[in-house]
């Protein structure tokens, strides 16, 4: 691919750090791919990021034209899974006397709870679903708890705070008065309705503040070393972006960004707004569904590192199939070592890449597949087709009218025909779809609250309009152009067993990045 000869205008770089590879692309103002690279993800992540960035900058004639860098990273996910670099959190619930029977973090794995929790307390406060207070906020109890609980950050969760957030905001003021600049994570800004899951997500967010600082510092160091003065953005789990300052406040929202980037990249590269997407990496294949160009979101609670949360995540099905998957030893993968261990690279380990090459599905590597492996690899190809067909059937939910877009470095593993799929699409630049998804993403904001189902004159319309404005304001805070923000999703779900009819209102706003 030629470098940026003759390129004018501003450029942007999309980077996605995966479990096996770190991908990078350079796009121009017309969203054309000018350069792309795939480098092994290093154990500390930063080296792989640096190598991918250097590779694409080397293909651009004028790197100084780069004005923005968008990063999708696994740092937050890895920190939780590996129980490392997590901060100590003072966990405060506003819910006595209603919620004392189930203490905070009671469903967490013991090792993670010991790593994260600096102490927990339930104090008087919280609201009923209709906004009435369960009890007045016990500000004195909050101060006593903060004074006796040294911590790196504070997580505050109030009962039904997404509908009525005043007590959480008051506690944030108390924390600032008592502890100064200690970071505070408020649950109404993190998760949706559902106390325990929202509390879990809020505590994880607070525990990740240090990880967020580490990532932003590392990225800035890489950019500074190359003399790049750019705006930086982080990909979040719904396929949109957030500015660095926003990501520093809500690092937990970067979890799930990888699959979301791939799905958004697949939509852009294929031009298909509604499809099944299969992203085949070195270790696994992630399948998701495109709905109007965005990832279909999961309706179920999401478990991260053994902790159940309820913030919005892409509806992803992951299967143990990747280019580095060892034949006959699923789910083991050679990962980034594939370039020296696979048969087609002169190694001694049979992988699914070897099976696909032997089956005529791609030309990869530097060595022919040894004849003695061909029968076993042919069986592996049949195994690939069975795994993928079953996974597609599960994510399609009975619909047989959606094409399948194959992306990722291992996309050549997939067959050209699958049951229940009218067409398999393999777009150009599919191997770096995740990085493309990061580079072309919009900024977004969302809000979930409760409003009356009917009556009250203009009161209900006023509350819905206020929710729309707040979602739009959150999108602007994430980096969107205020003049271009649009409401892209507004849903109302009736709530049962309430004294007065009410609905759960979800609003999402999105827009292009501000110029």
């Amino acid at each position: 691919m030629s470098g940026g000869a003759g390129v004018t205008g501003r450029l942007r770089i999309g980077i996605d750090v995966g479990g096996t590879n770190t991908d990078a692309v350079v796009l121009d103002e017309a969203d054309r791919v000018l350069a792309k690279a795939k480098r092994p993800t290093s154990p500390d992540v930063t080296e792989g990021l640096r190598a991918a960035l250097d590779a694409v900058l080397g293909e651009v004639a004028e790197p100084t034209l780069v004005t923005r860098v968008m990063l999708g990273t696994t740092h937050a996910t890895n920190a939780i899974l590996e129980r490392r670099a997590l901060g100590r959190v003072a966990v405060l619930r506003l819910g006595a006397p209603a919620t004392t029977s189930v203490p905070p973090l009671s469903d967490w794995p013991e090792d993670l709870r010991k790593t994260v929790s600096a102490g927990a307390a339930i104090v008087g406060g919280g609201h009923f679903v209709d906004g009435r207070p369960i009890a007045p906020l016990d500000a004195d109890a909050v101060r006593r708890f903060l004074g006796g609980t040294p911590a790196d950050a504070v997580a505050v969760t109030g009962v039904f705070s997404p509908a009525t957030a005043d007590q959480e905001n008051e506690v944030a003021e108390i924390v600032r008065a008592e502890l100064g600049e200690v970071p505070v994570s408020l649950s109404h800004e993190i998760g949706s309705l559902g106390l325990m899951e929202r509390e879990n997500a809020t505590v994880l967010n607070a525990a990740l503040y240090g990880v967020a600082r580490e990532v932003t510092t590392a990225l800035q160091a890489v950019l500074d070393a190359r003399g790049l003065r750019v705006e930086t953005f982080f990909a979040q789990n719904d396929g949109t972006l957030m500015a660095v300052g926003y990501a520093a406040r809500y690092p937990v929202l970067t979890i799930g960004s990888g699959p979301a980037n791939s799905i958004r990249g697949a939509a852009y590269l294929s031009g298909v707004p509604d499809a099944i997407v299969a992203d085949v990496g070195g270790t696994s294949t992630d399948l998701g569904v495109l709905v109007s160009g965005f990832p279909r979101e999961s309706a179920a609670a999401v478990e991260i590192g053994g902790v159940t949360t309820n913030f919005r995540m892409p509806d992803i099905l992951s299967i143990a199939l990747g280019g580095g998957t060892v034949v006959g030893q699923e789910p083991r993968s050679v990962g980034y070592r594939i370039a020296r261990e696979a048969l087609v690279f002169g190694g001694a380990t049979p992988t699914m890449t070897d099976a696909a090459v032997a089956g005529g599905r791609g030309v990869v590597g530097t060595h022919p597949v040894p004849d003695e492996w061909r029968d076993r690899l042919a069986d592996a190809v049949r195994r690939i087709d069975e795994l993928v067909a079953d996974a597609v059937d599960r994510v399609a939910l009975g619909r047989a009218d959606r094409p399948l877009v194959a992306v990722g470095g291992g996309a050549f593993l997939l067959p050209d025909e699958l049951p229940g799929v009218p067409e398999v699409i393999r777009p150009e630049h599919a191997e770096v779809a995740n990085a493309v998804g990061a580079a072309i993403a919009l900024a977004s904001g969302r809000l979930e609250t409760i409003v009356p189902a009917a009556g009250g004159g203009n009161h209900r319309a006023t509350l819905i309009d206020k929710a729309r404005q707040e979602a739009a304001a959150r999108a602007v805070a994430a980096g969107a152009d205020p003049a271009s923000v649009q409401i892209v999703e507004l849903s109302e779900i009736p709530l049962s067993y309430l004294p007065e009819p009410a609905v759960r209102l979800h609003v999402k706003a999105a827009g292009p990045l501000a110029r």
Side-chain angles (χ1 to χ4, degrees):
M1 178 173 299
S2 64
V7 172
T8 60
R10 293 177 294 187
L11 307 179
R12 62 191 185 279
I13 295 177
I15 305 172
D16 188 273
V17 181
T20 300
N21 290 303
T22 295
D23 299 341
V25 296
V26 179
L27 271 61
D28 65 11
E29 288 186 313
D31 291 340
R32 293 174 298 190
V33 176
L34 303 181
K36 57 186 177 181
K38 185 181 290 286
R39 295 292 184 269
T41 295
S42 55
D44 69 349
V45 180
T46 305
E47 287 303 317
L49 189 157
R50 182 178 290 112
L53 185 62
D54 284 345
V56 292
L57 288 175
E59 294 190 39
V60 176
E62 298 182 63
T64 55
L65 293 177
V66 176
T67 59
R68 286 174 172 163
V69 173
M70 292 80 160
L71 175 67
T73 175
T74 58
H75 278 81
T77 307
N78 292 343
I80 296 170
L81 295 178
E82 298 170 13
R83 282 41 169 168
R84 62 169 178 80
L86 298 173
R88 301 279 288 172
V89 181
V91 183
L92 187 60
R93 183 191 296 172
L94 318 180
T99 67
T100 54
S101 61
V102 183
L105 315 189
S106 58
D107 60 342
W108 282 41
E110 182 66 22
D111 62 334
L112 184 58
R113 182 167 63 248
K114 288 181 177 179
T115 299
V116 168
S117 178
I122 307 174
V123 304
H127 293 84
F128 292 105
V129 68
D130 60 3
R132 292 178 295 119
I134 294 172
L137 175 65
D138 190 341
D140 290 338
V142 171
R143 293 186 181 93
R144 288 194 299 271
F145 172 69
L146 295 174
T149 312
D152 300 312
V154 179
V156 183
T157 305
V159 179
F160 282 114
S161 63
T164 310
D166 56 345
Q167 289 185 352
E168 284 193 0
N169 291 328
E170 185 177 345
V171 171
E173 293 297 324
I174 295 173
V175 173
R176 278 187 281 271
E178 297 291 318
L179 303 180
E181 296 302 314
V182 171
V184 183
S185 185
L186 304 179
S187 78
H188 73 273
E189 298 176 342
I190 304 296
S192 57
L193 300 175
L195 177 64
M196 299 298 293
E197 295 87 353
R198 174 163 42 89
E199 182 175 65
N200 290 344
T202 305
V203 176
L204 287 178
N205 188 71
L208 289 167
Y209 283 133
V211 175
R213 284 192 298 271
E214 175 188 326
V215 176
T216 54
T217 300
L219 177 61
Q220 194 58 52
V222 170
L223 296 174
D224 288 344
R226 282 139 193 82
L228 294 179
R229 298 293 180 263
V230 300
E231 292 181 278
T232 51
F233 297 85
F234 281 76
Q236 54 181 327
N237 51 34
D238 64 354
T240 62
L241 296 171
M242 51 185 170
V244 169
Y246 198 85
R249 286 191 64 187
Y250 310 113
V252 77
L253 297 183
T254 64
I255 293 172
S257 63
N261 285 343
S262 295
I263 293 173
R264 284 284 290 150
Y268 171 73
L269 294 172
S270 68
V272 178
D274 297 280
I276 297 169
V277 176
D279 178 19
V280 188
T283 303
S284 64
T285 295
D286 295 328
L287 292 98
V289 178
L290 267 170
V291 180
S292 300
F294 283 88
R296 183 177 72 192
E297 293 184 339
S298 174
V302 177
E303 186 175 291
I304 303 165
V307 176
T308 304
T309 66
N310 69 350
F311 54 84
R312 299 267 178 158
M313 290 277 281
D315 187 5
I316 298 296
L317 173 63
S318 295
I319 58 175
L321 171 65
T325 301
V326 180
V327 171
Q329 297 185 36
E330 298 94 332
R332 190 170 78 84
S333 172
V334 296
Y336 64 86
R337 301 187 307 277
I338 188 171
R340 63 175 184 268
E341 293 192 17
L343 300 176
V344 293
F345 289 102
T349 305
T351 67
M352 289 300 187
T353 291
D354 300 309
V357 171
R361 293 186 177 178
V363 179
V364 179
T366 56
H367 290 65
V369 176
D371 289 338
E372 63 266 25
W373 284 103
R374 290 192 174 273
D375 288 344
R376 185 175 173 186
L377 295 179
D379 289 338
V381 169
R382 288 189 286 272
R383 174 66 174 154
I384 290 172
D385 294 353
E386 291 171 1
L387 282 170
V388 175
D390 177 67
V392 168
D393 186 55
R394 290 165 64 185
V395 300
L397 301 179
R399 287 188 57 175
D401 59 340
R402 291 190 180 103
L404 182 138
V405 182
V407 298
F412 66 93
L413 270 65
L414 305 184
D416 289 328
E417 296 183 0
L418 283 164
V421 173
E423 181 185 9
V424 175
I425 300 172
R426 303 176 188 273
E428 186 180 11
H429 309 306
E431 73 277 14
V432 289
N434 46 10
V436 171
I440 57 98
L442 307 174
S444 73
R446 61 173 75 241
L447 179 73
E448 189 165 297
T449 188
I450 297 170
V451 299
N458 294 325
H459 180 59
R460 180 172 181 274
T462 300
L463 291 176
I464 293 177
D465 187 57
K466 182 179 178 182
R468 294 165 64 100
Q469 293 177 22
E470 175 60 26
R474 292 185 180 186
V476 171
D481 182 353
S484 303
V485 171
Q486 295 182 333
I487 302 301
V488 297
E489 181 183 342
L490 194 155
S491 60
E492 299 182 47
I493 303 173
L495 296 174
S496 304
Y497 310 113
L498 299 181
E500 298 293 335
V503 297
R504 178 177 176 176
L505 179 69
H506 172 73
V507 187
K508 179 178 177 180
L513 296 174
R515 291 291 182 183

